[in-house]
Amino acid sequence: MTRHFFEVDDLSRDELQQVLAYAADPYPSKVLDGLGMALLFEKPSARTRNSMEMAVVQLGGHPVTIRPDEVGLDTREPAEDVARTLACYHGAIGARVFEHSKIERMAAAVDVPVVNMLSDESHPLQALADILTMQQEFGDLGGKAVAYVGDANNVARSLAIACAMTDMEFRIASPAGYQFNDRDLDRIRANGREPMVTESATEAVAGAHVVYTDVWTSMGQEEETRQRLDAFAEFTIDAALMEGLESDGIFMHCLPAHPGEECTRDVLDGPQSRIWPQAQNRMHAARGLLVFLLGGA
Ligand code: CP
C-alpha cells in the first residue's frame, strides 16, 4: 500500500522513531536510484526546496522543482491530473500548497508517495527536523517541555503532534484569537497529551527545555500584518524571556525569521540558539522520511 505523509501522525510512534533513525544513517538505501521526485511549490521556499532536493540526490534520485505557474494547480489543470501526470515520471511527489485538501486530492489520484511540504494545516517535515534536533540536544525526550510562543499556525500544530508522539510536554502561548481551534486540539489530544494553552509567554517558558517560535504573519496572511504586529506585541522572545528556560534550554525557529518581531537578533544569534542545526536537519529528516516511504532499510 502506498504511504503518503500529510501530518506527523500519519506515522505510528514506532514509525516516527524509525524515520528519525533513518535520518541519522550516513549510508542510506538508494531508494530513488534511477527515479525522479517532483517538488511542486505554490509558495516560496528556501529550506524546504533545497533540503528536499539534496535529500533526493543523496538517495540516488533526480529532483525536479516546479513553480506554480508551470502547472497551474486547479487553474490550468485539476490537481488530480497534475499528480497523475507527475506520477508518470517520478517515484514520489512533494507539494507545498495553500489548501491542505489539494495534497489529499493529489495523493488519492496516484500510487506514488505524496509528501506535504507545507499546507495551511500542517508542516510535518519541519516537525521531523525539529524532533531530530531536540534528540541530538537532549537524547531521550520523555518529559522535556517545549514552549511555543506565537501564532498557533501549521508549524505549531505539527510540532505539538510530534511532541505528543515523543512524550514531551507542549505549551503554547498566543494572544486570544490566534490559538489552536478545537479540531487542532482534538488532533493533538488524540496523540495522548494535553497541551498547555496560555496567553502568557512567561508562564509557557517557565522551566521549559525548548522555546520555539515562528513568524507572526505567515505566507498568504500579508494583509493582516498590521493587526498581527499589534496582537503579538507582547510575545517577542528576548533575553529576559529566555531566562525562564531551564539552564540547558535552547531556542528554535523554523525560519525565515523576522528579527525584532517574534524574537530579537541577540536570541537568534545567541549561544542557546539551534536554528542552523535545525535548518540542516531538514535535509536529514527529509531523507529519513523518503527512505521510510519508499520501503528502504
Ligand atoms: N521552514 C521552512 O519551511 O522554510 P522555507 O519556507 O524556506 O522552506
Side-chain angles (χ1 to χ4, degrees):
M1 188 187 71
T2 303
R3 295 287 297 265
H4 304 292
F5 187 64
F6 307 138
E7 180 55 287
V8 184
D9 58 2
D10 288 332
L11 304 171
S12 69
R13 284 175 170 237
D14 286 348
E15 288 170 344
L16 172 57
Q17 292 304 324
Q18 184 67 73
V19 166
L20 295 169
Y22 285 150
D25 182 358
Y27 303 107
S29 306
K30 302 291 186 192
V31 291
L32 282 168
D33 189 22
L35 297 171
M37 181 164 184
L39 304 172
L40 176 56
F41 289 88
E42 282 195 322
K43 303 182 184 188
S45 170
R47 281 145 291 272
T48 305
R49 174 181 173 176
N50 285 279
S51 61
M52 287 296 285
E53 287 196 2
M54 289 315 301
V56 170
V57 168
Q58 290 166 3
L59 297 175
H62 179 84
V64 177
T65 291
I66 304 163
R67 294 169 49 84
D69 50 310
E70 293 173 318
V71 291
L73 271 185
D74 283 339
T75 52
R76 184 168 184 261
E77 200 167 7
E80 289 86 349
D81 287 352
V82 171
R84 289 182 184 111
T85 302
L86 296 175
C88 292
Y89 320 118
H90 295 284
I93 298 170
R96 169 170 284 200
V97 298
F98 285 95
E99 296 156 41
H100 186 83
S101 60
K102 269 190 196 172
I103 296 180
E104 295 175 329
R105 287 169 48 214
M106 291 173 73
V110 297
D111 60 4
V112 299
V114 174
V115 174
N116 177 4
M117 300 196 299
L118 182 143
S119 71
D120 54 1
E121 275 192 11
S122 52
H123 197 1
L125 281 170
Q126 180 67 55
L128 293 182
D130 298 339
I131 296 297
L132 184 61
T133 307
M134 293 180 210
Q135 274 191 347
Q136 290 166 350
E137 186 73 27
F138 298 111
D140 181 21
L141 297 181
K144 295 283 187 292
V146 175
Y148 182 101
V149 177
D151 189 22
N153 61 12
N154 44 10
V155 169
R157 176 181 128 131
S158 293
L159 180 65
I161 290 170
C163 287
M165 291 176 68
T166 48
D167 292 321
M168 282 192 282
E169 183 186 342
F170 184 82
R171 311 168 182 173
I172 182 162
S174 320
Y178 298 92
Q179 298 175 335
F180 283 135
N181 60 34
D182 288 343
R183 193 163 155 261
D184 290 338
L185 286 170
D186 287 345
R187 185 78 176 248
I188 298 161
R189 289 176 183 132
N191 286 286
R193 305 284 291 201
E194 180 71 32
M196 180 224 266
V197 178
T198 174
E199 292 181 32
S200 164
T202 307
E203 183 186 16
V205 170
H209 302 84
V210 177
V211 62
Y212 193 119
T213 191
D214 187 9
V215 293
W216 293 337
T217 304
S218 295
M219 290 176 280
Q221 298 172 333
E222 288 76 8
E223 287 181 3
E224 300 173 27
T225 300
R226 182 69 260 163
Q227 181 186 333
R228 285 172 171 268
L229 284 172
D230 292 342
F232 285 94
E234 302 300 317
F235 290 82
T236 301
I237 299 176
D238 58 14
L241 192 62
M242 290 290 289
E243 284 180 13
L245 287 174
E246 284 288 305
S247 57
D248 60 349
I250 61 171
F251 170 81
M252 297 178 69
H253 192 312
C254 57
L255 305 178
H258 291 170
E261 293 184 13
E262 73 275 6
C263 58
T264 54
R265 187 80 244 179
D266 60 316
V267 168
L268 265 177
D269 295 340
Q272 290 163 284
S273 175
R274 297 294 180 272
I275 58 174
W276 301 121
Q278 191 184 356
Q280 190 184 54
N281 279 332
R282 291 294 311 274
M283 178 175 69
H284 302 311
R287 195 179 63 239
L289 177 76
L290 292 175
V291 170
F292 174 81
L293 293 177
L294 292 161

